[in-house]
Amino acid sequence: MKLLAWVAVAAAAVLVTGSLSAYGYYWKLQNAVQQEDVDKLIGGNRPKKLNGATNIVVLGSDTREGANARYGKGLRNKPPASDTMVLLHLSPGGGQAVAVSFPRDLMVPIPACTRRDGTKSPASGVAMLNEAIARAGPACTVNTIEQVTKIRVDHFVQVDFVGFKRIASAVGGVPVCVTDDVQDKDSGLNLTKGRHRLKGEDALAYVRSRKGFGNGSDTERIKRQQHFFGALAKEGMSKGVLTDPGKLNELLQATAESLTTDKGLTVAEMLKIAQGMRDLDAGKLRFVTVPSGPYPLDKNRVALTRPASDQFFKAIREDVVVPAPAKAQGARPGKVRVFNASDAEGRGAQVAAQLKDAGWQIIGVGNLGSRTRATYVRYGTGAEPQARALAGLLPGARVAPRAKTAPGVVDLVIGAGFTRVRTSGGIPVQQGESRASDEVCEQVA
């Protein structure tokens, strides 16, 4: 969405030049985007919008229409499904973004949906989430996600296979890393061990591949897709696309021609979103998967994990910019070592990244061999004010001096009962989450 926002900024800049040719170019781009009237199709039974956050459902469609037919000619008449479903949540104030992945085989209730021709698709008490788009188009997927999460969706963006290839190529390719050779006949992916920059067909094969990595599960593919989308966003943010006329023109056209959106997501609306995201960088773009686990009736399906999923969706619904608590006199963010003593893999790095965003100097991140329930803030000589300021950002944290901690340094021990860093808004750190700034080498076997 950051890239789409940049497209909007550029298109608006072209428009305000005032020339007739620029005006025509703007409308050419606007008219290239296919649109669907989601508000009309869903109707009035929708969650209330609680704050200034923006929620955008991003869908990857496996339709075989048009140029997409080459990816399985025998599937040309198959109803489209959406194997990639992401809810992009932009926090109020533009300080962070959270991309929430929904597994394609997540078993949820699907409501009755209105199709474009006015007919209705029947409701189901439980079905795979990726079936919704085949029943009544992307509006049905939006409707289903709203009913499951109670989160009001502002917009949706859908891109197909061909469109994805264009966007990956338009930014100059996306860097990836694999721990061993990969050969997947189903997706057509062939990579040697090490680092690569993927464009076009290779980029599409990479995000579609399942059998070439690990246990071949959709869960593992979601993680790899999250890392790829993060690298794509980081690439777009760092390559100065807007200052390169050739890249800019290619990205503008590739994006516009590749999208289906709701009617409300005009170029002007994209510009508004872009303005709200101006302070967002790769380190503030988080990727998470909805809390889920095995579906009891079918080991090949997954279900929401409760109450964790309910708490997570509530945090997104009610996300606000949380003011930092009053600091101890003379206290400013200082030096912190972060130690993970919880059951959540990677939590130390996640919390460290959030504290760094808040101005703390991270001088070390590691894991402790023993686990603890409580979260502790320990401080060396002269660092008590900083320790208490840090504890104010961590609900329930216990503060105490520690002789072995270096002078002027604070040690943070994250326990299993850790919930969130207050400066990150209302959305707690989730197990297994990643950031666009991460550099990951994907495990092949």
Side-chain angles (χ1 to χ4, degrees), residues 406-445:
V409 173
V410 177
D411 287 340
L412 169 59
V413 178
I414 303 168
F418 171 85
T419 56
R420 64 187 175 92
V421 179
R422 284 198 174 103
T423 53
S424 67
I427 305 175
V429 173
Q430 299 298 303
Q431 184 168 354
E433 76 171 47
S434 61
R435 292 192 173 210
S437 56
D438 295 345
E439 295 187 4
V440 180
C441 204
E442 303 293 347
Q443 194 71 33
V444 174

Side-chain angles (χ1 to χ4, degrees), residues 311-329:
Q311 295 167 348
F312 177 62
F313 295 143
K314 183 176 185 292
I316 294 178
R317 286 196 303 271
E318 299 178 356
D319 183 24
V320 295
V321 177
V322 179
K327 298 177 182 177
Q329 186 175 2

Side-chain angles (χ1 to χ4, degrees), residues 111 151 176 179 182 224 238 403 415-416 422:
I151 297 168
V176 302
T179 61
V182 180
R224 191 172 68 259
S238 63
R422 284 198 174 103

